[in-house]
């Protein structure tokens, strides 16, 4: 999933960015409120982490503007302000959650993951299933036919993205936008390599293949239709 981080404190920004990347998210960062507005209007993000004190456009104004423009990206506000009134104001301006600094990254990650699940347009459940393949998105556990499968962060991110679009074809560009960052060349073969790695783990040792290549378009995950009598 793709997250926008808007934070002008370099240490905090790097801390959040690195942690989210290690958890399998694609992350775009900026320290400027106006730049964040342009980015959020141009790219569909699965969640955003926004500091209140920002140059040029403060975090609350950023949130209000995005909501006014019809952008419903789930937003987590970060702030050193700890009063109830501050939290209420943030939520009233359109934020979905509020986390006070200093914070523990594990809590921020859990809140971001909850926002992504809540904001998903395709799947609300905490368990994604395709045939005998199951993913527990809360604990990030994968198994097929009852056999646990260990995935690297990018492999897991791709599998979750495919499952949230189960039965639909997702293009290489869509995968790049949701799992990698802007600096990747769209002509690169990283998507093909990642799909190959994922197939080796969830399809290779099973007679029924779930990941399908849609020639000239992209990839889809789907289980074969089983007729019942």
């Amino acid at each position: 999933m793709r997250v926008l981080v808007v934070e002008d404190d370099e240490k905090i920004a790097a801390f959040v960015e690195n942690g989210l990347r290690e958890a399998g998210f694609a992350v775009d960062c900026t320290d400027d409120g106006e730049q964040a507005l342009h980015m959020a209007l141009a790219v569909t993000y699965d969640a955003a982490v926004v500091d209140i004190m920002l140059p040029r456009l403060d975090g609350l104004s950023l949130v209000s503007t995005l909501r006014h423009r019809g952008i419903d990206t789930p937003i987590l506000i970060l702030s050193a302000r700890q009063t109830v009134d501050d939290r209420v104001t943030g939520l009233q301006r359109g934020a979905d959650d509020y986390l006070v600094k200093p914070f523990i990254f594990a809590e921020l990650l859990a809140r971001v993951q909850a926002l992504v699940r809540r904001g998903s347009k395709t799947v609300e459940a905490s368990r994604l299933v395709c045939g005998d393949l199951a993913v527990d998105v809360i604990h990030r556990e994968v198994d097929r036919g009852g056999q646990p499968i260990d995935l690297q962060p990018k492999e897991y991110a791709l599998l979750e993205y495919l499952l949230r679009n189960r039965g639909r074809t997702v293009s290489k560009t869509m995968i790049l936008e949701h799992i990698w960052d802007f600096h990747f060349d769209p002509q690169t073969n990283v998507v093909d390599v990642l799909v190959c790695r994922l197939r080796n783990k969830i399809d290779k040792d099973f007679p029924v293949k779930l990941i399908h290549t849609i020639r000239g378009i992209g990839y889809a995950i789907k289980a074969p239709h089983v007729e019942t009598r």
Side-chain angles (χ1 to χ4, degrees):
M1 302 292 104
R2 194 175 196 87
V3 178
L4 174 63
V5 175
V6 192
E7 171 62 68
D8 66 340
D9 184 304
E10 292 184 6
K11 290 185 178 180
I12 294 177
F15 174 64
V16 173
E17 178 182 3
N18 293 336
L20 289 173
R21 288 187 195 282
E22 290 173 359
F25 288 93
V27 184
D28 297 326
C29 286
T30 181
D31 59 1
D32 181 282
E34 286 191 2
Q35 178 64 26
L37 176 61
H38 295 313
M39 294 169 71
L41 292 174
V43 177
T44 300
Y45 289 99
D46 298 287
V49 178
V50 178
D51 183 30
I52 286 184
M53 302 302 292
L54 296 168
R56 299 214 291 173
L57 184 68
D58 68 87
L60 293 181
S61 296
L62 170 61
V63 173
S64 296
T65 303
L66 289 175
R67 296 305 187 231
H68 182 70
R69 299 283 190 93
I71 304 299
D72 60 359
T73 300
I75 297 175
L76 169 64
I77 287 284
L78 286 182
S79 176
R81 300 175 181 175
Q82 302 184 27
T83 69
V84 173
D85 287 344
D86 289 326
R87 294 196 294 271
V88 169
T89 298
L91 297 173
Q92 288 178 334
R93 297 287 285 272
D96 299 274
D97 201 355
Y98 194 105
L99 184 60
V100 175
K101 300 177 183 178
F103 55 87
I104 298 173
F105 178 76
E107 181 179 2
L108 181 142
L109 177 60
R111 288 173 182 253
V112 170
Q113 291 171 332
L115 289 179
V116 170
R117 292 194 301 272
R118 195 183 314 162
S120 173
K121 299 296 189 300
T122 56
V123 178
E124 297 294 340
S126 62
R127 185 174 174 84
L128 306 177
V129 177
C130 181
D132 59 351
L133 174 71
V135 174
D136 180 338
V137 299
I138 303 293
H139 300 98
R140 300 171 70 85
E141 295 175 345
V142 180
D143 72 78
R144 184 163 185 192
Q147 174 183 330
I149 298 175
D150 183 32
L151 298 181
Q152 296 298 312
K154 282 288 190 289
E155 296 166 353
Y156 176 87
L158 173 59
L159 178 59
E160 182 177 339
Y161 183 58
L162 289 172
L163 285 170
R164 289 187 181 278
N165 290 277
R166 178 183 171 184
R168 294 184 291 189
T169 301
V170 294
S171 68
K172 292 182 180 179
T173 299
M174 292 168 65
I175 293 173
L176 279 169
E177 288 179 347
H178 279 80
I179 299 178
W180 278 279
D181 306 306
F182 281 127
H183 63 266
F184 274 87
D185 181 354
Q187 302 303 316
T188 184
N189 69 340
V190 292
V191 172
D192 303 298
V193 171
L194 184 61
V195 170
C196 181
R197 281 167 39 195
L198 185 60
R199 275 180 165 148
N200 283 338
K201 292 188 176 182
I202 72 167
D203 273 347
K204 182 179 179 181
D205 297 328
F206 297 88
V208 176
K209 310 308 178 186
L210 300 178
I211 299 178
H212 303 270
T213 300
I214 312 302
R215 190 174 299 277
I217 302 176
Y219 301 95
I221 190 167
K222 52 188 176 181
H225 175 68
V226 179
E227 294 186 2
T228 58
R229 295 179 182 275

